[in-house]
């Protein structure tokens, strides 16, 4: 790790120097979520006087690149300094747009249109492989809210993309990571396993309710899996964005159209797994790219954020993705992976659901051996 002063703009050189007295460190990188660095340093170690808020750390991350992190919290005691940092991308939280309205722009143009209209200048630039266009309006927002916020017109909800943060480059692509056909199998790279299931958030008979207590004539929409359980699991869901009003141009003008929208919105919840149990699988896993036997084939077994993985265990097959990585820059190894469903776009017909239903993923927690 190298350290730089807060006002540094050139990060090619070594800055103030190398932080040689780090005793523990990890980088957390979550798909469309947290990107942070935490480390502990000897109290009077070399350059420890520069471990101050807003100074910048350059650190190796899981994909082998060197990324910039800004110090946000410093906790000192008699023996150790504990330092928490956020990726430099989050400096955009401090910037601001007052009232902007990108109109009919493809994703890369849309992103750079926002970045070009912040309150003060910066070095960030946007890139995207998403070809669809969109329009939006943002009043008194910071760029991170516009990109990843929960509002229906945030970019993650308008375009459905996934973000990769590479220092001052922001990639907002249709997806991050690859499908290299990596498969986890007992006897190959799975050395231990524990499986638990939870049905607390399963719902198989939903009463959708639109604006002004609009209900279906049949009241309920049943899941295709309703007979998989001993009894229906009934739940009411509010879709306040589905409105019947012949006089409102933003509403459905016939009851049949509104009813169809309620049925479709409910069936979308079933398609997203609201009628399935949460499966938690804890796996002890050897990443074969780090073993001698596979050293000539390491590219086939290396796993990065966003990658697709196939799990074959106990006569069951799962397809999932890497949604979180915790990396140890001291040992150059990944401490743990989290596999599951990337964070759902909130700007769908289900955007009024409570947290319990908003996120109903199959989650796999992976510890690397």
């Amino acid at each position: 790790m190298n350290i730089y002063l807060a006002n540094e703009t050139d990060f090619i050189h070594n800055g103030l120097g190398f932080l040689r007295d780090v005793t523990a460190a990890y980088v957390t990188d979550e798909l469309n979520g947290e990107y942070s660095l935490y480390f502990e340093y000897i109290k009077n170690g070399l350059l420890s006087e520069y471990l101050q808020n807003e100074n910048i750390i350059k650190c190796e991350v899981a994909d082998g690149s060197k990324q910039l992190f800004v110090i946000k919290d410093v906790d000192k005691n008699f023996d150790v300094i504990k330092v928490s940092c956020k990726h430099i991308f989050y400096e955009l939280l401090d910037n601001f747009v007052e009232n902007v309205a990108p109109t009919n722009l493809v994703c890369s143009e849309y992103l750079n249109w926002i970045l070009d209209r912040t309150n003060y200048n910066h070095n960030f630039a946007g890139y995207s492989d998403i070809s669809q266009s969109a329009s939006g309006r943002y009043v008194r927002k910071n760029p991170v809210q516009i990109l990843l916020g929960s509002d229906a017109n945030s970019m993650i909800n308008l375009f459905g993309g996934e973000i990769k943060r590479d220092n001052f480059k922001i990639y907002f692509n249709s997806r991050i990571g690859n499908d290299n056909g990596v498969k986890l199998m007992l006897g190959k790279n799975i050395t231990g396993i524990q499986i638990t299931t939870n049905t607390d958030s399963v719902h198989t008979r939903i009463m959708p309710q639109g604006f002004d207590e609009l209900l279906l004539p049949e009241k309920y929409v049943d899941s295709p899996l309703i007979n998989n359980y001993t009894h229906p699991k009934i739940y009411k869901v509010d879709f306040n964005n589905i409105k019947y009003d012949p006089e409102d141009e933003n509403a459905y003008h016939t009851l049949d159209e509104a009813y169809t929208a309620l049925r479709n919105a409910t069936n979308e919840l079933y398609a997203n797994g609201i009628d399935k149990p949460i499966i938690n699988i804890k796996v002890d896993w050897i990443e074969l790219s780090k073993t001698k036997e596979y050293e000539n084939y390491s590219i086939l077994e290396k796993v990065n954020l966003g990658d697709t993985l196939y799990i074959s265990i106990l006569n069951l097959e799962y397809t999932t993705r890497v949604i979180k990585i915790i990396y140890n820059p001291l040992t150059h190894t990944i401490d743990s992976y989290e596999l599951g469903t990337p964070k759902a776009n909130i700007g769908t017909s289900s955007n009024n659901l409570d947290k319990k239903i908003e996120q109903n993923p199959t989650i796999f927690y992976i510890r690397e051996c």
Side-chain angles (χ1 to χ4, degrees):
M1 295 184 200
N2 293 82
I3 186 165
Y4 301 82
L5 292 176
N7 60 358
E8 182 61 76
T9 58
D10 177 12
F11 299 96
I12 296 176
H13 61 86
N14 290 328
L16 297 171
F18 182 71
L19 295 175
R20 68 183 186 188
D21 295 315
V22 179
T23 58
Y26 60 83
V27 176
T28 300
D29 190 2
E30 182 178 9
L31 192 58
N32 289 347
E34 176 185 3
Y35 201 179
S36 64
L37 163 68
Y38 169 84
F39 65 93
E40 296 181 1
Y41 206 71
I42 295 175
K43 176 68 179 300
N44 295 311
L46 181 69
L47 303 174
S48 59
E49 67 272 23
Y50 294 106
L51 295 177
Q52 301 174 13
N53 286 348
E54 305 305 318
N55 281 348
I56 300 168
I57 306 294
K58 182 165 70 175
C59 178
E60 180 184 275
V61 300
D63 65 6
S65 67
K66 300 289 182 66
Q67 296 293 316
L68 302 173
F69 296 86
V70 180
I71 297 175
K72 294 298 182 182
D73 186 73
V74 180
D75 183 7
K76 300 180 181 180
N77 60 32
F78 290 114
D79 302 312
V80 68
I81 304 172
K82 299 178 180 180
V83 183
S84 298
C85 315
K86 288 188 177 295
H87 191 271
I88 201 162
F89 162 81
Y90 290 101
E91 291 300 276
L92 287 171
L93 285 169
D94 295 334
N95 218 321
F96 201 65
V97 296
E98 296 182 5
N99 190 341
V100 298
T103 303
N104 197 29
L105 299 177
V106 298
C107 191
S108 60
E109 295 172 343
Y110 196 105
L111 176 54
N112 283 300
W113 199 95
I114 295 294
L115 294 174
D116 289 343
R117 286 161 176 79
T118 54
N119 194 270
Y120 57 86
N121 294 331
H122 54 75
N123 294 321
F124 293 96
Y127 307 85
S128 179
D129 63 4
I130 299 173
S131 59
Q132 75 182 76
S133 59
S135 302
R137 185 185 176 204
Y138 307 96
V139 178
R140 295 181 289 277
K141 299 282 187 181
N142 67 62
V144 176
Q145 288 175 310
I146 295 172
L147 267 166
L148 299 175
S150 61
D151 292 343
N153 67 341
S154 69
M155 287 189 65
I156 193 172
N157 291 322
L158 288 176
F159 294 98
E162 296 176 356
I163 191 170
K164 177 178 175 63
R165 294 152 288 200
D166 182 9
N167 291 321
F168 294 100
K169 297 177 180 178
I170 304 170
Y171 294 92
F172 197 77
N173 290 337
S174 55
R175 72 160 279 174
I176 300 299
N178 300 296
D179 183 351
N180 296 318
V182 176
K183 192 168 188 176
L184 306 185
M185 301 175 64
L186 281 172
K188 178 190 177 188
N189 45 19
I190 294 179
T191 60
I193 189 167
Q194 177 184 346
I195 303 175
T196 59
T197 61
N198 185 291
T199 59
D200 286 346
S201 58
V202 170
H203 304 289
T204 61
R205 174 169 288 167
I206 289 176
M207 176 185 283
Q209 178 176 291
F211 180 81
D212 199 22
E213 299 189 0
L214 176 67
L215 297 175
L216 291 173
E218 67 272 27
K219 295 184 180 179
Y220 300 99
V221 177
D222 285 354
S223 159
L225 305 181
I226 192 168
N227 293 324
N228 288 13
Y229 306 90
T230 57
H231 56 266
K233 298 178 181 293
I234 305 172
Y235 196 78
K236 179 179 75 74
V237 177
D238 291 320
F239 296 99
N240 290 321
N241 57 320
I242 297 177
K243 179 181 181 181
Y244 163 64
D245 187 341
E247 306 300 324
D248 186 345
E249 65 178 11
N250 296 315
Y252 293 97
H253 293 170
T254 69
L255 277 172
D256 283 344
E257 290 175 334
Y259 291 154
T260 298
L262 285 174
R263 295 183 188 108
N264 290 342
T266 305
N267 284 320
E268 184 179 344
L269 294 181
Y270 292 137
N272 289 332
I274 198 174
D275 52 358
K276 300 178 181 69
I278 294 176
I279 302 173
N280 181 283
I281 303 178
K282 294 183 179 179
V283 178
D284 291 334
W285 172 31
I286 300 173
E287 189 188 352
L288 296 182
S289 67
K290 295 185 173 65
T291 63
K292 187 171 182 60
E293 297 92 319
Y294 278 74
E295 61 184 356
N296 294 326
Y297 308 96
S298 61
I299 189 63
L300 300 176
E301 294 287 348
K302 184 171 177 59
V303 177
N304 291 308
L305 190 70
D307 284 0
T308 298
L309 288 183
Y310 301 90
I311 300 179
S312 180
I313 47 177
L314 305 179
N315 297 318
L316 297 174
E317 301 286 335
Y318 299 95
T319 301
T320 187
R321 292 179 64 198
V322 179
I323 59 172
K324 187 174 183 179
I325 289 178
I326 297 179
Y327 179 75
N328 188 328
L330 300 183
T331 60
H332 309 289
T333 59
I334 292 172
D335 283 351
S336 67
Y337 296 86
E338 184 175 319
L339 310 182
T341 304
K343 289 184 176 180
N345 297 331
I346 302 171
T348 65
S349 60
S350 60
N351 67 338
N352 293 303
L353 301 184
D354 60 30
K355 272 289 183 185
K356 183 176 69 170
I357 297 181
E358 221 170 60
Q359 298 180 6
N360 188 23
T362 300
I363 296 292
F364 304 81
Y365 295 98
I366 307 295
R367 294 193 306 275
E368 185 182 1
C369 296

